[in-house]
Each structure stands twice: as structure tokens, then as C-alpha cells.
Amino acid sequence: MFWYLLLLWGGISAVEVQRPRGVPLSKRPFYEENKPFTCLDGSRTIPFDRINDDYCDCQDGSDEPGTAACPNGNFHCTNAGFRPTFIPSSHVNDGICDCCDATDEYNSGAECQNTCRELWRKEKESMQKLAEIAKEGFLLKQQLIQEAKRGLEEKQTKLGEVQNSKKDLETNVEALRTAKEAAEQPEKEAKERHLKELLGGVDKVNTAAFETIWSKIREKYVSEVRTQTPSSNTDGPAPVETPQEEVREPVSDNDSEPYPDDDIPEEEDEDEDEDEDEDMDDGDYKVTGFDYILECLPIFTKSLFSSAAQKARNEFEEAERALREVDDQIRNLEKEISFDFGPSSEFAYLYSQCYELTTGEYVYRLCPFNRVSQKPKYGGSETNLGTWGKWAGPEGNVYSVMKYEQGTGCWQGPNRSTTVKLTCGKETVVTSTSEPSRCEYLMEFTSPAVCQEAPDLEVSDIHEEL
Amino acid sequence: MVLTEKGVCFQLVEADTQTKLLLTVSPCKCDTVRILIDEAQPGKARYRVSDVLTGDPQSEQLRVESQTQDFVTLSWSLAQHQVRVWHFPFRVEILKDQEVIVTFNSKGKLWFERLQDRSVLHSLFSVTLETTFKEKYDNQTKPCTDFYVLTETRGAYTLGPSSIGADLCLHGFRHAYGLPEHSDQLLDGEPYRLYNLDVFAYDLHSRLGLYGSVPLMVAHRADRTIGVFWLNASETFVNLQYLPTDPQTDVHWLSESGVIDCMVLLGPSPHQLFHQYAQLTGYQALPPFFALGYHQCRWNYDDEADVRAVDAGFDRHNIPYDVIWLDIEHTDGKRYFTWDSARFPEPAKLQRHLEKKNRKMVVISDPHIKVDADWSLYREARDGGHFVRDREGHIYQGSCWPGESSYVDFSSTATRAWYSTCFSLEKYKGSTSVLFVWNDMNEPSVFSGPEQTLPKDAVHHGGWEHRDLHNLYGFYQHMATADGLLTRSGGSERPFVLSRSFFAGSQRFGAIWTGDNVASWDHLKISIPMVLSLSLAGIVFCGADVGGFVQDPEPELLVRWYQAAALLPFFRGHSDKKTKRREPWLFGEEVTAAIRAAVQQRWYHLLPYWYTLFHYAHNSGLPPVRPLWTEFPREEHTFTEDTALCPVGGALLACPVTQPGVEEVRVLLPGSNEIWYDICSGQEYGGGQTLSLPVTLDTIPVFQRGGSVVCRSTGSGTCAADFQQLPLTLTVALNCQGRAAGELYLDDGHSFGYRVRKSRLRRFCLRSGCLRCR
């Protein structure tokens, strides 16, 4: 039904076909000269001379293809030498040249030039340029694919090696743990003795020193009791004497425990914008009751630690650290191996790289598969614009768009997120950034990994219809 | 009693204090009675509002009808009305055919604090003894708990307390309207406050003041419409009490300073009342044709590329629009009259690009001026004495968008003249003749000030305190800006200026919008009564931000808002910086199509009709949209009709959908002898019934009244100028007698040529099956 007279560039000269203004050739059969015209939606039939009489008769606008009389009509630009197109009727004779063949401005006084051939020339040039880029990019992509393949193999080999070494390490750790516990036994006994003296026999310690300590730890002890009492009174079992050990346990719920003021991190609610990376590990600031005692009583504790035990401890910790490192290595390798780097892993080379773009005010940083961030050029803290989410291109071209989500929250708004659009290019570079909607960023990114096999330039819809 | 050609004068004496006041009662042409009370021997003149009335109302010659020991009765011209002044207790009655319509001071609440010389006063009283205006108001009326949010500067005025007040009884009236701007219908109970303030995302049904004030209250009963216009620009409270049993409405006015200047407009028809009020405060300026088009605004369109992209988006999606707007970010550091050189390096080129498409641009210009001695405009204003001062005589500084700012004193004629010159094309770099202006933050908004505005003891030109003229601040900036644009074209082109703050008479300078509303269904719903209330008070070129300024509208709300706003006089989409982008094509084809249809068919196609309605507003004071009861003044059920029903001119009745997810709306079709035609289907309905109409997302219920002729430009175009060129279509709707009539006003749409008869008013008339045009 829908066909064009397709001719090659510089082809045979075509014959002019008579039809009402604004009608595409494909619809000419519906506009038979001097015969009643039926609206294309079939709604009514009108005499032929009411076509293009600047009065809208048909609801679908089909009786006024060449005027602005119908609100929903379309005007067909033949655009000989370029490609045909439809423009809304509102653009007919509005003083603006919309069709490159200038046919839409036949009665507005606007001076329009026929620019179709020029447009075609320009388009051909830019298409050629694009094709060249695509061609070179596609070659680069093949290299990338090879590299990725090699890289993957290497990583798998490495993973095997590391997994083997892990077993040795585990054995080593167990051995050292046993050694350590043996070495620690005398020390432990000494410690328990001292503790008993400190807390149980007041007459044996310096009263003033005790007062100092007690004033510092009292609250903690009281609060422990207080927090436990209500639940035990109502539905729990009868309270038993709190064993010493329990006091030492770090408490996981940091809200229920009143700490001395200066121990509480101050930012909590003020820095909604940039608190991302400052989450402190619980252990960094929570001081248990036992630590207090050790801190305050160097005299008592110093003698408690035997050098043999200390050595065994150090060796054990060293081995444990090595094991943790290996675990990390395995995790990272497994993560990288299982990552979706595209159908042929062509995007693998972007992993653990970062690309920057500097604009008027900010430096934008894209670390593919990791995060996007923004930093003011002239000082100021970095803002997270999203961490790696997923491939988010349209169906059939999923690997053309990356989505980074859950960045720093906007004031009274959503979390920042970034969409990265990938286009074919010889170089890997961020070409632009924008914020089309508040806190939703858009980044343009070129990479050879998205280049497709060069399109065949000969196939195009250029035509010579007149 | 002294009779003069300006009216009749009496001396009032308060028994206890022997305070002497001078009362002048003067009947004006077109059935308005003015009651003016000032101090008999003022130590210092009290503030009188100037520039709001378009001239000194012409007085009629009074004559004494009868005089007794208790009262004197006076009448004028055709003796339709009479004024009776009672000696003790003092009151003034306005009568028609022996029936008292209005009584002034019927409850004896007349109140007048005399100005005092502070130098004397200071030695006698401690400053702390003074009560504030608000406390005084509390004492005068019933206790008002927690009604006033913030305090004012206490006891700091040079002339001491100076409040005035009076009460009126409107006999036989149970329905009152007007007193904008409030997000509410007029009800009795708590007093309404008139005090212009910047209220972000305002609450609904609040009686506190919003951005502007028109102290006009209109009361209606089946046989008569009257108005009370209280000409005072200081903080004012109005308390209404309806007495349903012996129908009457008691109104109590209390203002912080100035004189009692109260005008009673006698109607009797709503249309006559519109005319009477316009005679006093002026007619709506005839807007340039483009200003009736759709306006696209956002805080902010980021840069030139963004503006071009949005402009192209409208073309690509075939949605007509006329004006793109730039908010504060377009300036160099919030210095109005400048451009951000990185975002807008070539503003004139951008405007020419729009001009080629017959489109325009509007930029914001706020009244605060950044304190920056390196900026020539600031220095000019400072050195020219154009800023408001504090009570010590220093230039006042407060904070606003640019940081430390000073405020232009628009109350001074010389300052207004200076400000106007700032809009000249030579002085305003980067401006062209298609650049128009928007005045925001002109209550004025002062982030650091009491109630976020200027302190009441700030000092204006002539030594007047800010409390005297607070409500006029935005009015005067609007005036100066419109004058600047007029002067820019050598007086040949109609200006277009939108202002957020306003006062009675602001209609002469351009358009008004209802400020920072919220993207909620309730705000959509309230936008209609708010526009109707403004229209009733003469501010007829008005509208609400489409979609709601604050927060993100869901797509359905956005569509319904476009549909409703396409039936109100000023049509602009606007959104806050913190909201998501919401250009009409960002929500899928169904939403785009529905918005396109609303903008195209309900708005642009009806432009010839709208323009004719603005011609009426400009010439007879008749608002384009007006409350239903003004069209059906004898039908009691229309008096309380506060739903979305909104007559657009005399021919159309709109009932936009303002609720989510509805499949049916109920429409009250008034007038038992009327015929109404659904303009979509052509279906005919008899009046005097409530109709259940099924609706879809595309439906905008609009009915054409039988007996009317409506002109449309039914084709397609990209902006108002395109539609102006299109052939016209007449829709003739017959009434029961098979007749119809309607008018069409035409002119060039931009100049003042219409004043020298370069315009046409065509009348179409269908009788006995024959349509005539003359």
C-alpha cells in the first residue's frame, strides 16, 4: 500500500503526477479529479472542489491536505532530491520554511529556497563520515573482543590458582589459631584475676583511681540494667545476674545505648547530600565497657600481656588477613567474570576505568560499571550521580544505554540517577552531560564497542519523485 | 452641614474624647455613594490612596429632601436613591424608594485613632503601653485566637497608632463575594485579612492574605447586586456576618492607617455593578493578541539551547504556543536587566529566532535590587534616591534571591519614571521588541523581613510609612513596568506585564496569576473560584499556573489542568525548579494528544471569541469569565454554585473535570427557558436541570447557550498570529424562539489603532432562518 518511487541518485528524470497540493503520491488514487471525494476516514463525501478550499470538512483533515484549515491535517513535502516527509498542517504558510523543497510556503510571502539537494549532499557527507568511523570503530571492537576473551581466560586461570592457594591459607590459619590460644591461656587467667580485684575488692585498689573509672563507666552499667529490666519484668524470664561477658559485647543497636556526647558522630541529619561514603563502621566509635577499663588502667593491664602470646596473636592475625585478601580477590574475580560486558564482552575494557568531562562549573566522572559523580571545578565535595544499575537500552539494542541509580538524594527530591547513552566512536570519551529533569542526568559516551558493521551506503531512501 | 458641589460635609464629634472628624458624603455618577471620613483638624495629613481611582469621581449635586431633628434626607439627579444621615447615634442610610439598602455605622463600630505627635507623646507615655494594631482588632471584635501568625514591629511608628474602622449593614443580602486574594469562598466567621504576602504553596481555605488585595466586596440578592469598595492600602481585616433569619449581611472593616474612604456601588444588576466599579478603578487593559495565547514557563529554562529545544518541541508535537518565559536564572547573579553570559550569551539572537516564528519571550524582573556598588543599575537607584529607607533614614536592606538587596520605592512618581526607562531597548542590553516582562516577588517579598515582607516602619517617598501603602507596592511596580514597555515602543505597542501582587486597579496594567500553587487536585479545583473572585473584582486577565507550581502532577492531573485552564483568561504552564520537567509531550502519546486538543480546540480555536470578550472587558468592565449568578441573577440556586461551573462570556458554560478517575460529571444547566448545546456532540439539553455527563480523559464539558453565536478559527497554526489569519467559523445556537445573536471584535492585535476606530465590531444575528452580519 505504501510505496515510493525509489530511484537512485542522479537516476532517470521522473514524470510529474497531477494531484491536489499536499497529497503524497501513495494517496493520489483517493483524490480523483472531478469526482466526489470521500474523507479518508470514510466519515463523509464532498464535492471535489471542496478539497483544499481552506475549509475543514473531514474530521481526519483529509480534505485539506494543502492548507492549514484542519487542526489535525498533514501536509506532504515531496522534497525531490531528499527524502519526503509530512509536516503538521499548522506549519503550512506560517512563514517558516519547513519543507526543503519550499512547497509549504506557497502563500505566506516567506522567501524559501529549495535546499533539498544541498541537504542531501550534507547528509551524504555526514553519513560517509559516520560510516568511516563505524568501520574503524568496528575493527577496534574486534580487537576489544579478542582482548576481552584473553582477559577472561586469564582471570579464570587466576581464579583457579587463587582458590587453590586459599586452601593452604585456611589450614595455616587453623594451625596458628591453636598456637595462639595455647599461648594466651596464662595471660587470660591473669586478666581475670585483676578484673576481680578491680570490681570485686574495693579495698585492694586505689580508691581515687576507682572513682575516676567508675564515674566513667557507671552510666553504661546502669543503662544496661535499665534497658533490660522492662522486658524482663513483663514477658521475659526472671532477670538473672548479668554476666561480665555480656557487657563486653558491642551492642549492635546504636540508638538504644546512650554514649557520651562527644562519641556520637555529628553529621547524622545535616549532610543529606554527601554522607554516602562516610558511614562509619560500628567498631570505630563504639567503645565497650571493657575497653574503657583497659584504656583507663594502663598500670593494671600492661603487665598482663606476655610477649609470647602477643607474637602468636600477631602471626595469627597476619594469616587471617592474608586469607581475607584472598577471599576478596576471589570475590572480585568472580564478580568480573560473571559481569555482563555485552554479547562478546566488548565492554570489558571499560571495567575499572574512569572517564572525565569538564564543563563550565563541574568535572563529571564516569567510571563504567561502577559509578558516576560530579565535582565542582573550584573546590567542594563530590556528589554521587548514581551507582551502576543495569543495561537499559530498548529491546534489541539493550547495550546502547547504561543506567546508574541511587545516587545522592536531592533536597526534597529523588535520588540522583544518570542515563549514559553510548554511541559509536573511535575513541572512548564522555562527550556531553546534561540534567534534562531535576536530578536525572544524561551523559553521552562514545566507544568503539558499540560500533556495528558499517552500513551499506548504497541502500538509502533518497528519491526523485516529482 | 455644608452642601457643596462635591457633596455634603458634616462634623462628627465623639462624645467622650471630643475627637472631631469630618464626614463627606458624595454621590458619584453611575450610582455610587462615597463616604469619606478624615480628621477635622489633622496635625499631620493622613495617607490617602492615590493612583487607584482613575480620576476624581464626578459628583452629583445633592439637594435636601427633608430635615428633622434626628436626620436629614438628601437626594440627587433623578431621585432614584436617597441618603439619610442620622445625627445621634450617627449613621448613614442609603435608600431606594424608601427601602434602606445599606446602613453605614449601623452597629456603631466607627473607629478612628488620631495621629499623634511622637515628640509630645513620648514624654507622656511609655512606648510599651501602645497596643499593636492587631491587638486592637482583637479587642474590637470577638476574640480571635491564634489567627495572626506573626507579629509586626511593635510601637515603632513615628506617628503612633492610627487605625480606622467602620461597619456596614447590607439589608436583605445573604450572599457575599469578592475580596480577593484568598484561596476560599467568602463565608462568615473568622475575619478575612488583606495584606499582600509571599506565601509559598499556600494552604487552601485560609483567610490570611495572599499575594494581592482588592478591597471590594460584592453582595447579591435576586433583585439587586451591590458592592462595597473600601479604598485603603494598609493591612485590613474584613469580618462578615450573615443573618439568615432577617436576611442581612454585616460587614466590619478595620484598617491599620489612612482614612475611611468607602464607596457603595448600587448596581442594581451585576453587569451595571461591573461597569460602576470599572468607572472607579479603570477597565482591563486590552491585551496584545499574542498574550491570549498559551504561555510556557519554568523555573528555569537553563540556557539558549534549552529554550530552542522546548520551542522546537512544541512544533514537533504540533501544539501551538506563543510565549516562552525565563525565570530568575537567566540573569547575571539575579541582577535583573542583565543576562548570564554563559547560559544566555546571545539573548537578542534568541529572541529574533522566536520572532521569526511570531513568538515572544518574557523575562522576570523583581523589585529587589542586588546591593552591588559595581553594578551601574544599583548605583543609579542608590544615587537617585530610588530605594525604600528604614526609619533611621538609611537605605533599607533585606535579603532575597540575590542576597542582600534594596527595594525600589515604586510609590514615588520620579522613581517609577526612572524604573520605566530601564526597559528602553538601548538601556536594557539584550532586549528586543518581542521581550515582555513579568514582576514576581512584589508583595514585596523580603526573606529576612517580618512576615517575609518589608517592615511596616520602612519609609517611602514623602515620608509615608510602609504600613500606609503596603498593599500598593506590587500595584505600583506593575504600573511602572507597563509604562516602561509602553514608552519603549514610543507609545505605539500594547505592553504585556504579568504581576503576582496587585491591588484594585491593577487590571489597567496587565495580567495577574495566583502565585505558587501546588500540583494537587484541590489546587486545581480552587483555581476556578479564585479566578472568578479576581474577575468579579475587576482583575479579569488572570489565571493559575497550569499543572501546579510546586510538586509533580500525575499525568491525569496535568491533562485535566490544561483542560480547565484552557477555559480561563490567562493560560500559562509553570513549574518549580525542584519539579521534574513537564512539557506536554513527556508523558506518552495519549497525554500529549489530550493536551494538544485542549490547547488547540478549547483555546486557540476560540481566540476570536476570547478577544471579543476582552474587548467587552476593556469597554464595559464585563469580565470574560464570571460567577454563574451574574448571568442568572434571579436563580437562587446559582448563588452558592461553587463547583467548577464557569460561564465563559455569555455564550459558553464550562464545567471542567477537576477530580481524578471520574467517568461522569454532574453539570448544572441553569435557566428553565434556556437551551444548551454540548459543543462536542451538538446534543441539545433543556436548562433548569442537572445533567450526568459521561467523560473520558479527552472530555472537556462545554455547553453553548441557545441564542448565541460564537466565532472560531478552526484551522491549525503554531501561534496566535497564525490563527488570526485563518478563516472564521460561526457556530449559531438557536434559542426557543429560533433566534441567535453574537458579536465579533477585530483589530490589528498589537497597536492602539482601535482608539482611533481602526477596529470592527461585527454583529451576527439569526432571525427567521436568516443570518445577518452588520
Side-chain angles (χ1 to χ4, degrees):
Chain A
M1 186 72 193
F2 212 76
W3 55 276
Y4 287 119
L5 192 54
L6 289 179
L7 293 178
L8 289 180
W9 174 245
I12 328 138
S13 64
V15 194
E16 192 177 339
V17 186
Q18 282 295 336
R19 59 188 191 269
R21 194 194 297 273
V23 174
L25 198 56
S26 60
K27 289 192 178 148
R28 186 188 164 272
F30 301 111
Y31 296 82
E32 267 193 274
E33 204 162 350
N34 300 323
K35 290 199 179 155
F37 170 74
T38 302
C39 304
L40 297 188
D41 63 359
S43 56
R44 63 189 288 201
T45 301
I46 54 169
F48 188 80
D49 60 8
R50 279 167 70 172
I51 291 173
N52 282 342
D53 67 344
D54 216 4
Y55 182 84
C56 194
D57 296 288
C58 299
Q59 282 203 342
D60 65 352
S62 57
D63 64 313
E64 296 294 319
T67 74
C70 291
N72 51 350
N74 283 307
F75 178 88
H76 181 262
C77 315
T78 306
N79 290 347
F82 194 54
R83 71 173 69 80
T85 184
F86 286 95
I87 59 167
S89 292
S90 54
H91 295 21
V92 174
N93 287 327
D94 65 346
I96 314 285
C97 312
D98 296 287
C99 302
C100 67
D101 64 3
T103 49
D104 61 316
E105 295 301 315
Y106 58 87
N107 199 18
S108 70
E111 286 177 23
C112 299
Q113 309 292 323
N114 187 324
T115 55
C116 291
R117 274 163 207 268
E118 179 64 11
L119 275 178
W120 171 241
R121 195 182 55 74
K122 278 189 189 151
E123 182 162 313
K124 209 166 91 175
E125 270 175 23
S126 72
M127 273 163 66
Q128 268 163 351
K129 233 175 249 167
L130 282 177
E132 272 166 40
I133 292 171
K135 206 169 148 191
E136 286 179 51
F138 192 69
L139 284 177
L140 287 170
K141 180 178 172 179
Q142 301 316 311
Q143 288 173 21
L144 291 175
I145 292 173
Q146 288 310 316
E147 275 169 33
K149 214 169 151 190
R150 268 199 308 278
L152 190 65
E153 280 160 12
E154 276 167 22
K155 277 176 195 108
Q156 267 155 348
T157 322
K158 174 95 188 176
L159 182 63
E161 286 167 11
V162 177
Q163 271 163 343
N164 282 337
S165 69
K166 184 184 170 187
K167 281 176 201 140
D168 298 344
L169 281 169
E170 277 169 345
T171 327
N172 192 24
V173 165
E174 278 317 302
L176 287 170
R177 185 196 306 280
T178 321
K180 183 193 83 151
E181 277 166 8
E184 275 177 343
Q185 195 52 36
E187 187 188 86
K188 204 173 160 197
E189 281 161 16
K191 206 187 322 178
E192 272 165 12
R193 213 165 43 241
H194 274 274
L195 273 174
K196 216 176 270 170
E197 281 167 12
L198 168 66
L199 298 166
V202 178
D203 50 348
K204 286 187 186 165
V205 290
N206 177 337
T207 322
F210 174 75
E211 284 302 321
T212 324
I213 304 152
W214 183 241
S215 68
K216 285 188 182 170
I217 60 176
R218 182 174 49 197
E219 260 187 29
K220 183 167 304 299
Y221 280 52
V222 170
S223 77
E224 283 293 318
V225 175
R226 213 187 265 148
T227 50
Q228 285 190 7
T229 313
S231 67
S232 356
N233 278 353
T234 49
D235 46 16
V240 287
E241 208 182 331
T242 314
Q244 284 286 294
E245 285 300 309
E246 270 204 30
V247 183
R248 290 204 214 160
E249 292 296 319
V251 184
S252 59
D253 178 8
N254 62 355
D255 285 333
S256 66
E257 184 93 354
Y259 290 102
D261 279 344
D262 49 348
D263 273 344
I264 293 174
E266 284 179 7
E267 56 280 342
E268 286 300 303
D269 34 33
E270 288 153 28
D271 57 340
E272 287 165 53
D273 269 347
E274 48 233 319
D275 57 350
E276 285 299 291
D277 301 315
E278 294 169 45
D279 277 351
M280 284 192 181
D281 203 355
D282 282 356
D284 286 352
Y285 61 95
K286 277 192 185 169
V287 183
T288 65
F290 183 59
D291 289 337
Y292 257 98
I293 298 165
L294 292 185
E295 254 174 48
C296 304
L297 287 175
I299 297 166
F300 290 105
T301 57
K302 212 172 172 182
S303 62
L304 298 180
F305 300 103
S306 77
S307 60
Q310 188 59 42
K311 188 164 171 268
R313 237 191 322 265
N314 288 347
E315 278 168 0
F316 167 70
E317 275 164 15
E318 186 65 33
E320 229 184 15
R321 193 178 308 125
L323 181 62
R324 270 203 304 274
E325 271 166 24
V326 164
D327 272 338
D328 283 349
Q329 231 178 335
I330 291 172
R331 246 198 318 278
N332 286 340
L333 280 167
E334 279 173 348
K335 188 177 158 199
E336 210 180 323
I337 287 166
S338 66
F339 228 106
D340 181 4
F341 288 127
S344 317
S345 296
E346 62 268 39
F347 294 102
Y349 80 104
L350 297 173
Y351 193 78
S352 66
Q353 301 292 312
C354 289
Y355 302 89
E356 285 188 350
L357 177 74
T358 305
T359 65
E361 281 173 77
Y362 298 101
V363 178
Y364 289 88
R365 195 173 158 88
L366 166 66
C367 302
F369 306 110
N370 183 8
R371 69 199 290 261
V372 183
S373 61
Q374 175 201 51
K375 202 178 159 114
K377 215 155 115 186
Y378 307 107
S381 55
E382 193 183 76
T383 305
N384 181 354
L385 302 186
T387 47
W388 167 250
K390 56 175 185 281
W391 289 104
E395 214 177 312
N397 198 12
V398 178
Y399 297 98
S400 61
V401 176
M402 292 170 158
K403 189 88 193 164
Y404 293 82
E405 296 155 334
Q406 293 298 322
T408 310
C410 278
W411 185 66
Q412 289 187 352
N415 285 83
R416 289 176 175 81
S417 65
T418 304
T419 302
V420 178
K421 276 194 180 161
L422 292 97
T423 46
C424 166
K426 283 185 281 184
E427 322 229 317
T428 303
V429 60
V430 177
T431 54
S432 77
T433 60
S434 55
E435 190 182 354
S437 191
R438 191 170 87 101
C439 307
E440 291 175 10
Y441 295 81
L442 179 68
M443 210 168 236
E444 307 261 0
F445 186 52
T446 63
S447 156
V450 268
C451 294
Q452 302 294 326
E453 189 108 52
D456 188 358
L457 250 193
E458 300 310 305
V459 188
S460 78
D461 55 357
I462 183 69
H463 79 147
E464 276 289 294
E465 184 199 295
L466 287 171
Chain B
M1 181 177 85
V2 184
L3 264 179
T4 70
E5 56 189 25
K6 291 232 166 191
V8 59
C9 297
F10 299 87
Q11 195 167 59
L12 301 175
V13 183
E14 201 198 342
D16 296 345
T17 60
Q18 291 296 304
T19 303
K20 289 197 176 77
L21 299 174
L22 189 67
L23 163 76
T24 313
V25 180
S26 45
C28 315
K29 294 224 154 58
C30 40
D31 292 333
T32 300
V33 177
R34 185 179 193 179
I35 299 166
L36 189 67
I37 300 176
D38 198 352
E39 290 181 45
Q41 292 116 12
K44 183 184 185 300
R46 298 178 70 106
Y47 187 77
R48 288 196 186 199
V49 173
S50 47
D51 304 307
V52 167
L53 298 184
T54 49
D56 208 9
Q58 278 187 305
S59 302
E60 301 262 6
Q61 185 63 53
L62 276 170
R63 58 177 178 271
V64 178
E65 286 282 305
S66 61
Q67 194 163 8
T68 70
Q69 205 176 345
D70 297 325
F71 61 78
V72 53
T73 309
L74 302 132
S75 68
W76 64 95
S77 65
L78 299 169
Q80 273 200 324
H81 296 96
Q82 292 174 325
V83 169
R84 181 171 294 158
V85 181
W86 292 77
H87 296 167
F88 190 83
F90 161 68
R91 61 188 190 274
V92 180
E93 291 172 343
I94 300 169
L95 307 89
K96 158 109 195 213
D97 303 333
Q98 300 308 312
E99 181 208 351
V100 183
I101 305 165
V102 176
T103 307
F104 179 88
N105 200 33
S106 75
K107 294 251 181 326
K109 287 185 174 169
L110 182 66
W111 172 262
F112 212 103
E113 282 181 311
R114 286 194 305 159
L115 297 181
Q116 287 152 56
D117 187 342
R118 285 297 291 227
S119 53
V120 180
L121 190 79
H122 207 78
S123 59
L124 296 175
F125 303 103
S126 159
V127 179
T128 49
L129 277 178
E130 284 174 22
T131 51
T132 65
F133 169 57
K134 278 172 194 160
E135 284 163 5
K136 208 163 292 150
Y137 187 79
D138 290 349
N139 298 338
Q140 271 229 312
T141 59
K142 64 197 171 71
C144 299
T145 48
D146 296 335
F147 183 71
Y148 315 109
V149 201
L150 288 164
T151 60
E152 60 197 78
T153 27
R154 184 175 270 259
Y157 308 115
T158 4
L159 297 163
S162 61
S163 63
I164 52 134
D167 71 283
L168 294 100
C169 175
L170 317 178
H171 302 278
F173 292 89
R174 273 184 299 156
H175 298 99
Y177 314 88
L179 285 181
E181 183 177 32
H182 293 96
S183 57
D184 197 19
Q185 319 263 233
L186 278 199
L187 299 166
D188 59 354
E190 298 284 309
Y192 286 88
R193 183 186 191 199
L194 295 174
Y195 192 60
N196 301 350
L197 291 175
D198 176 4
V199 191
F200 180 78
Y202 46 85
D203 292 334
L204 298 182
H205 311 296
S206 162
R207 298 183 175 205
L208 299 173
L210 285 180
Y211 310 92
S213 304
V214 181
L216 172 72
M217 198 205 74
V218 176
H220 178 70
R221 63 185 202 207
D223 62 337
R224 184 177 279 273
T225 309
I226 60 168
V228 178
F229 180 46
W230 179 266
L231 182 52
N232 191 296
S234 66
E235 179 180 2
T236 296
F237 289 92
V238 191
N239 202 1
L240 292 174
Q241 271 183 308
Y242 300 121
L243 294 180
T245 42
D246 173 24
Q248 71 178 51
T249 300
D250 289 316
V251 201
H252 182 200
W253 300 76
L254 196 74
S255 291
E256 186 173 2
S257 66
V259 298
I260 293 175
D261 190 354
C262 178
M263 283 158 252
V264 180
L265 292 70
L266 293 165
S269 78
H271 289 205
Q272 282 166 308
L273 185 96
F274 290 133
H275 185 65
Q276 284 155 6
Y277 180 69
Q279 282 281 303
L280 293 173
T281 65
Y283 293 89
Q284 175 66 51
L286 186 63
F289 196 69
F290 81 83
L292 297 186
Y294 173 66
H295 301 256
Q296 181 67 29
C297 187
R298 177 172 172 81
W299 177 20
N300 212 93
Y301 285 125
D302 296 334
D303 51 25
E304 291 178 0
D306 196 8
V307 171
R308 282 170 193 264
V310 171
D311 174 70
F314 277 92
D315 290 336
R316 196 168 59 252
H317 296 92
N318 199 23
I319 301 170
Y321 94 103
D322 268 85
V323 191
I324 192 151
W325 293 51
L326 297 181
D327 210 316
I328 50 177
E329 313 294 340
H330 82 276
T331 59
D332 172 15
K334 320 292 186 295
R335 292 171 184 86
Y336 308 104
F337 303 99
T338 69
W339 302 85
D340 181 318
S341 58
R343 296 156 179 267
F344 292 89
E346 297 180 296
K349 194 175 162 197
L350 183 64
Q351 290 158 51
R352 277 194 297 276
H353 171 74
L354 295 167
E355 187 181 10
K356 266 191 237 155
K357 299 177 165 195
N358 277 316
R359 290 184 177 140
K360 323 284 176 194
M361 183 181 262
V362 164
V363 287
I364 198 164
S365 199
D366 290 354
H368 51 261
I369 302 289
K370 184 180 173 73
V371 175
D372 175 5
D374 294 332
W375 180 28
S376 61
L377 194 96
Y378 169 77
R379 287 196 308 273
E380 259 180 61
R382 182 193 62 193
D383 302 343
H386 298 312
F387 285 130
V388 176
R389 293 177 179 270
D390 63 19
R391 56 195 293 243
E392 276 82 36
H394 308 301
I395 291 177
Y396 175 82
Q397 285 189 14
S399 70
C400 208
W401 301 125
E404 276 306 289
S405 306
S406 287
Y407 287 75
V408 176
D409 181 9
F410 296 103
S411 69
S412 145
T413 317
T415 297
R416 288 201 301 277
W418 165 77
Y419 188 75
S420 297
T421 62
C422 297
F423 292 97
S424 78
L425 295 175
E426 302 77 53
K427 194 166 172 188
Y428 190 167
K429 299 292 177 222
S431 73
T432 74
S433 59
V434 295
L435 188 73
F436 296 85
V437 182
W438 160 31
N439 296 149
D440 197 4
M441 312 295 281
N442 54 348
E443 295 73 26
S445 179
V446 183
F447 294 161
S448 53
E451 288 195 83
Q452 209 176 309
T453 191
L454 281 176
K456 285 180 170 176
D457 64 345
V459 180
H460 288 264
H461 176 76
W464 297 111
E465 287 171 311
H466 186 65
R467 63 169 173 170
D468 292 324
L469 50 86
H470 172 84
N471 286 346
L472 278 175
Y473 189 88
F475 166 93
Y476 274 130
Q477 189 197 14
H478 202 184
M479 178 192 265
T481 308
D483 194 48
L485 295 191
L486 183 65
T487 314
R488 174 182 85 175
S489 70
S492 67
E493 296 290 316
R494 294 176 218 165
F496 169 72
V497 183
L498 177 78
S499 171
R500 189 169 74 181
S501 187
F502 57 87
F503 193 70
S506 286
Q507 66 268 18
R508 310 197 302 265
F509 315 127
I512 292 300
W513 93 106
T514 60
D516 297 347
N517 60 354
V518 179
S520 73
W521 290 94
D522 286 339
H523 268 266
L524 165 59
K525 212 172 291 171
I526 203 79
S527 70
I528 296 160
M530 282 178 81
V531 163
L532 291 175
S533 180
L534 282 164
S535 294
L536 193 66
I539 314 269
V540 309
F541 193 15
C542 58
D545 284 344
V546 176
F549 175 69
V550 187
Q551 295 169 11
D552 296 308
E554 52 189 291
E556 185 192 0
L557 174 60
L558 188 66
V559 168
R560 291 301 188 200
W561 210 313
Y562 268 98
Q563 293 173 339
L567 297 159
L568 299 176
F570 178 63
F571 190 18
R572 181 183 78 151
H574 186 27
S575 51
D576 185 9
K577 198 179 175 180
K578 294 199 283 290
T579 62
K580 287 172 181 280
R581 295 292 282 250
R582 60 165 89 135
E583 285 72 43
W585 50 86
L586 295 176
F587 304 90
E589 187 42 44
E590 194 195 3
V591 169
T592 311
I595 295 176
R596 181 189 298 122
V599 175
Q600 221 175 35
Q601 293 160 32
R602 286 300 149 265
W603 187 261
Y604 276 89
H605 286 178
L606 279 168
L607 278 181
Y609 180 65
W610 275 110
Y611 199 50
T612 306
L613 296 180
F614 271 94
H615 163 78
Y616 295 149
H618 182 62
N619 286 280
S620 65
L622 191 61
V625 298
R626 43 201 187 241
L628 193 61
W629 60 264
T630 66
E631 287 300 293
F632 299 91
R634 291 190 170 273
E635 298 198 15
E636 290 262 355
H637 60 274
T638 66
F639 298 179
T640 50
E641 183 55 53
D642 60 353
T643 63
L645 265 186
C646 168
V648 179
L652 299 178
L653 180 69
C655 180
V657 182
T658 55
Q659 277 182 307
V662 290
E663 291 172 351
E664 190 181 89
V665 288
R666 292 173 69 74
V667 185
L668 167 80
L669 294 176
S672 42
N673 297 322
E674 302 287 336
I675 302 175
W676 296 93
Y677 301 86
D678 183 324
I679 65 162
C680 280
S681 62
Q683 174 77 38
E684 176 183 332
Y685 299 98
Q689 60 166 322
T690 300
L691 197 67
S692 289
L693 196 75
V695 294
T696 63
L697 187 64
D698 304 329
T699 319
I700 317 170
V702 179
F703 299 86
Q704 186 171 343
R705 190 174 179 174
S708 66
V709 177
V710 170
C711 288
R712 286 190 176 80
S713 307
T714 45
S716 62
T718 57
C719 62
D722 281 3
F723 283 86
Q724 221 175 355
Q725 306 298 326
L726 291 173
L728 291 162
T729 303
L730 300 183
T731 313
V732 181
L734 300 181
N735 63 9
C736 324
Q737 290 91 43
R739 292 180 186 175
E743 289 182 321
L744 172 68
Y745 173 75
L746 299 164
D747 65 18
D748 70 4
H750 62 90
S751 77
F752 292 99
Y754 65 87
R755 288 181 181 164
V756 288
R757 304 176 63 83
K758 286 187 178 164
S759 65
R760 289 283 177 277
L761 186 65
R762 294 278 176 205
R763 185 170 172 78
F764 303 98
C765 188
L766 190 129
R767 267 185 198 197
S768 334
C770 177
L771 181 69
R772 288 195 178 79
C773 165
R774 56 184 169 79

